[in-house]
Amino acid sequence: SAVISQKPSRDICQRGTSLTIQCQVDSQVTMMFWYRQQPGQSLTLIATANQGSEATYESGFVIDKFPISRPNLTFSTLTVSNMSPEDSSIYLCSVGVTGTGELFFGEGSRLTVL
Amino acid sequence: GENVEQHPSTLSVQEGDSAVIKCTYSDSASNYFPWYKQELGKRPQLIIDIRSNVGEKKDQRIAVTLNKTAKHFSLHITETQPEDSAVYFCAALNTGTASKLTFGTGTRLQVTL
């Protein structure tokens, strides 16, 4: 499976600021996704990162709050904008294997908003 | 859309005993059912999966069974060890529509000595 690197691994941020999380994959992948995992909770899909076009957001997530870039087939960023304490979560980049359904996760970025 | 329910939410077993985690899904078109293990502070890792064309799959001490008629699938861990302690997530997907992977709510497994 692909090696998925995320940074930062963790950060503590002030309310009202924005943070950009980077995801780098060691091979070209078609399917990249961003998930959120709130403390003690399951995995919730934020959006599908589409190469060369706007991301596809799930219900409850909007581009103004979670802008996503996907400039090529190995890299994506997720920005958490105008953060509030409710945004404190782990944000996970993931890649899918086309046609199989298999999904692999990066190490995650643990975000704490004060 | 797909809805996946997972039970129990917590499970405590003694080392050497078996553990069973059960999931049900709502979309009869789902055909791919993975299980993820997430250790504390780590990423979820795919440990086993099953597709709708088989009823059971085994990999050493772990096995997954699928009942398409009843729309439920289960994870079985035999001879549990302390390193099996983690949160386990089931999920379901219809690979034909490339829809999103829908996760269960998770089961926290604690293996005690």
Side-chain angles (χ1 to χ4, degrees):
Chain A
S1 61
V3 175
I4 309 166
S5 302
Q6 265 185 255
K7 59 180 180 182
S9 57
R10 59 178 64 236
D11 208 339
I12 300 173
C13 302
Q14 296 300 315
R15 183 194 299 258
T17 63
S18 299
L19 179 76
T20 296
I21 302 166
Q22 298 181 5
C23 178
Q24 180 74 54
V25 188
D26 69 344
S27 59
Q28 293 188 339
V29 293
T30 303
M31 302 166 69
M32 288 183 76
F33 309 91
W34 287 97
Y35 280 81
R36 182 175 74 181
Q37 187 175 31
Q38 295 179 300
Q41 301 296 310
S42 187
L43 299 147
T44 301
L45 180 63
I46 297 172
T48 302
N50 301 309
Q51 194 268 327
S53 63
E54 191 172 286
T56 304
Y57 290 85
E58 296 298 309
S59 176
F61 298 96
V62 295
I63 188 171
D64 290 346
K65 176 67 175 177
F66 298 101
I68 288 170
S69 78
R70 178 90 190 270
N72 55 53
L73 293 177
T74 64
F75 186 78
S76 178
T77 67
L78 168 74
T79 299
V80 186
S81 303
N82 188 25
M83 288 183 287
S84 67
E86 294 71 37
D87 294 320
S88 297
S89 288
I90 299 172
Y91 293 86
L92 294 143
C93 171
S94 65
V95 302
V97 179
T98 304
T100 70
E102 293 174 356
L103 191 69
F104 299 96
F105 290 91
E107 311 101 314
S109 299
R110 182 181 295 272
L111 180 61
T112 301
V113 185
L114 302 177
Chain B
E2 175 65 275
N3 181 51
V4 178
E5 295 188 355
Q6 183 171 348
H7 301 280
S9 57
T10 60
L11 179 60
S12 182
V13 299
Q14 285 197 321
E15 183 179 6
D17 288 350
S18 296
V20 181
I21 302 170
K22 300 181 179 182
C23 290
T24 60
Y25 61 99
S26 61
D27 186 355
S28 57
S30 289
N31 58 359
Y32 176 65
F33 308 92
W35 286 88
Y36 287 82
K37 175 183 181 182
Q38 187 176 31
E39 297 178 51
L40 189 63
K42 302 288 183 63
R43 78 183 84 188
Q45 292 203 309
L46 179 64
I47 57 171
I48 195 168
D49 56 19
I50 191 167
R51 301 184 187 275
S52 59
N53 58 343
V54 298
E56 183 175 1
K57 183 177 179 181
K58 292 185 70 173
D59 182 4
Q60 299 183 333
R61 294 186 298 106
I62 60 173
V64 57
T65 59
L66 171 65
N67 183 327
K68 288 186 293 182
T69 303
K71 290 190 283 189
H72 67 70
F73 56 113
S74 301
L75 178 71
H76 304 253
I77 307 174
T78 59
E79 301 173 28
T80 53
Q81 301 169 2
E83 51 265 39
D84 295 328
S85 296
V87 179
Y88 292 81
F89 293 98
C90 63
L93 173 70
N94 177 353
T95 59
T97 61
S99 59
K100 65 177 182 177
L101 197 60
T102 301
F103 285 89
T105 50
T107 296
R108 181 173 299 278
L109 173 65
Q110 181 70 44
V111 180
T112 58
L113 297 174

